[in-house]
Amino acid sequence: MTDMGLVVVGAAGKMGRTLIRVVDATPGMKLVAAVERSGADEIGKDSGLLAGLSPNGIPVTDDVVEAFAKADGVLDFTVPAASLAFAELSAQARIVHVMGTTGMSAADDAKVAAAARHAVIVKSGNMSLGVNLLAVLVRQAAKALDADFDIEIVEMHHRHKVDAPSGTALLLGRAAAEGRDIDLDAHSVRVRDGHTGPRKRGDIGFATLRGGSVVGEHSVIFAGEGEVIELTHKATDRVLFARGAVRAALWGRDKKPGLYSMADVLGLSEGTK
């Protein structure tokens, strides 16, 4: 089989540059295009040099249609509006779309699902093996521990992150809610301020911290009477997300159109039931 040709969108960002480096180092794939928004200063620059590699002869472009037309897949860690547009193009081109974009609304998710009728879309709030394994453990713990154990999710990211709670925190929150067989939206507490009264039984709380250059830290706390259980994951380098994304792209190459998760890619889906 020939190498899988991939497009990196948001190529000039930190994650985009990391993706270019990981694609370059991964057997079985090659970079065919690097895309940035119209007007970006990086347009026309060599994408290899931009990522800290040797020149690769692939200039950064804003021509998304041309880029997708020659690709087998796209790696996308951008923003919701851009990802929705990319999903439509992926559906038209019938290519694999790996989407690590967070902060999407329910309406956005519905549009992604519609695009997945014609494209293989792997969408996850976190592409790492560790976090997806953590989600399985959280689901099992929530199922085993009754509502006498309060669930709190604490996450911290760098100062530049714009959405809260993080996509990973919500992924873990959904895992906990599934373990308890409850609806997360109906039991989610995102903000506590002032005289809030006692904690409601069965709620799942979220605490969001931002600062410095923290790549990502997540803890799920099960607090019972006289004992506390904590499950924690710490990411120290965003390269782990890039490696997960390229693994997802290769996995999705021979799959039928549909909406998949990293649990599917990693063979953890059985553990999520």
Side-chain angles (χ1 to χ4, degrees):
M1 184 180 291
T2 60
D3 286 350
M4 185 177 189
L6 293 175
V7 176
V8 171
V9 294
K14 289 182 179 179
M15 193 64 206
R17 298 180 196 213
T18 301
L19 286 165
I20 291 171
R21 291 194 294 271
V22 172
V23 169
D24 180 74
T26 303
M29 59 177 47
K30 62 182 179 181
L31 185 73
V32 296
V35 172
E36 257 300 336
R37 69 188 185 284
S38 297
D41 293 338
E42 294 81 7
I43 299 295
K45 294 183 178 180
D46 185 277
S47 57
L49 285 174
L50 190 66
L53 302 170
S54 299
N56 60 15
I58 301 172
V60 177
T61 180
D62 60 0
D63 191 337
V64 184
V65 174
E66 181 184 0
F68 279 42
K70 58 187 176 184
D72 301 307
V74 55
L75 304 178
D76 172 16
F77 289 72
T78 56
V79 297
S83 288
L84 292 178
F86 295 146
E88 290 183 8
L89 290 173
S90 295
Q92 293 170 17
R94 302 297 196 270
I95 61 176
V96 178
H97 188 164
V98 178
M99 188 183 300
T101 302
T102 59
M104 287 192 167
S105 66
D108 293 336
D109 288 337
K111 293 178 181 177
V112 172
R117 291 198 292 266
H118 305 288
V120 173
I121 298 181
V122 181
K123 182 178 182 295
S124 178
N126 194 296
M127 297 286 174
S128 82
L129 169 61
V131 162
N132 284 277
L133 179 58
L134 176 61
V136 173
L137 298 175
V138 167
R139 186 176 291 102
Q140 292 174 341
K143 185 176 182 179
L145 303 171
D146 64 23
D148 285 340
F149 281 81
D150 300 319
I151 302 175
E152 293 287 316
I153 299 171
V154 181
E155 56 106 340
M156 183 168 185
H157 284 84
H158 52 85
R159 64 167 66 97
H160 302 292
K161 188 166 180 61
V162 298
D163 58 309
S166 69
T168 303
L170 293 173
L171 182 153
L172 296 172
R174 285 191 291 272
E178 289 167 7
R180 288 273 171 92
D181 196 23
I182 60 175
D183 178 62
L184 179 61
D185 291 338
H187 291 84
S188 175
V189 177
R190 307 289 182 87
V191 178
R192 294 188 178 102
D193 184 34
H195 188 76
T196 61
R199 190 186 197 284
K200 293 182 180 178
R201 179 181 172 87
D203 279 349
I204 297 176
F206 291 84
T208 299
L209 310 178
R210 295 286 179 266
S213 59
V214 177
V215 174
E217 298 181 2
H218 298 84
S219 291
V220 181
I221 301 168
F222 295 86
E225 291 292 334
E227 60 182 333
V228 174
I229 302 166
E230 292 188 34
L231 300 173
T232 298
H233 179 273
K234 295 183 179 182
T236 58
D237 192 330
R238 57 177 44 87
V239 72
L240 68 95
F241 308 128
R243 288 173 182 157
V246 298
R247 180 172 177 174
L250 286 170
W251 176 88
R253 190 176 190 182
D254 62 354
K255 299 298 183 292
K256 295 180 180 179
L259 182 58
Y260 301 92
S261 70
M262 279 303 291
D264 297 313
V265 175
L266 299 169
L268 298 173
S269 294
E270 290 303 315
T272 66
K273 302 303 182 186

